[in-house]
Amino acid sequence: MDRGGSAGPGAVGSAGSLGLRIGQAACSSAALMFMSVGVEFFSYTAFCFLVTIMGLLVPWSCTLAMIDMYSILVGCPLHVPGVMAIVVVGDWVLSILSLAAASSSAAVIDVLLEFHGSHCAPRLCERYQLSAMMAFLSWLLTAASSLFNLWYIASR
């Protein structure tokens, strides 16, 4: 177990964390774009919830990606216990919310498709499905980031 200044795999300040954050930002942005550009998402509460959560996840991920880039360039990872706890709790909360948003959106899409497309044009439903899929990928990356940081805190 490394007790030095280097970050654990996936912990804030490491290249793994930077990769996770870039993936989170990309997937969240894609989910947001598929759901909100040229689509009337506001007709369903679950879709509004998805847009809101992905809208929160994009700046969170981008901010932490910038912190990771700075830590990598300077060579000094940010491992202040209070800050690490905030990152873990923030990731954990956003992970749960993004799973809820993706799941509720997928359920609404399933109901819309159950009526044989009478409530959803095929192109529109495909965009909803892509948005939900990207939200699930974003959830997976956020959960992984939270677990890596929690593991790092526990190993200190």
Side-chain angles (χ1 to χ4, degrees):
M1 187 167 16
D2 181 21
R3 298 282 182 191
S6 66
V12 174
S14 69
S17 177
L18 179 60
L20 286 170
R21 299 298 176 188
I22 290 171
Q24 288 169 21
C27 290
S28 299
S29 297
L32 198 56
M33 293 316 231
F34 282 128
M35 186 59 75
S36 62
V37 175
V39 179
E40 295 181 7
F41 71 89
F42 48 85
S43 301
Y44 302 97
T45 306
F47 295 163
C48 292
F49 182 53
L50 179 80
V51 167
T52 302
I53 299 306
M54 293 300 115
L56 290 172
L57 196 53
V58 170
W60 173 262
S61 299
C62 289
T63 301
L64 289 173
M66 288 188 287
I67 291 171
D68 287 337
M69 282 189 272
Y70 176 78
S71 294
I72 291 169
L73 289 174
V74 172
C76 181
L78 176 69
H79 292 152
V80 178
V83 173
M84 291 294 291
I86 290 170
V87 170
V88 168
V89 170
D91 276 344
W92 181 71
V93 168
L94 285 172
S95 174
I96 289 172
L97 290 173
S98 62
L99 177 61
S103 299
S104 62
S105 295
V108 169
I109 295 164
D110 191 44
V111 168
L112 290 174
L113 291 173
E114 186 68 29
F115 292 110
H116 304 291
S118 62
H119 288 81
C120 185
R123 186 169 171 96
L124 196 60
C125 277
E126 288 174 4
R127 291 194 59 174
Y128 290 155
Q129 287 174 324
L130 284 171
S131 180
M133 180 187 70
M134 297 309 285
F136 275 116
L137 288 174
S138 179
W139 160 72
L140 184 67
L141 294 170
T142 307
S145 179
S146 179
L147 290 173
F148 279 129
N149 285 307
L150 182 63
W151 174 54
Y152 180 78
I153 288 174
S155 69
R156 293 311 260 170

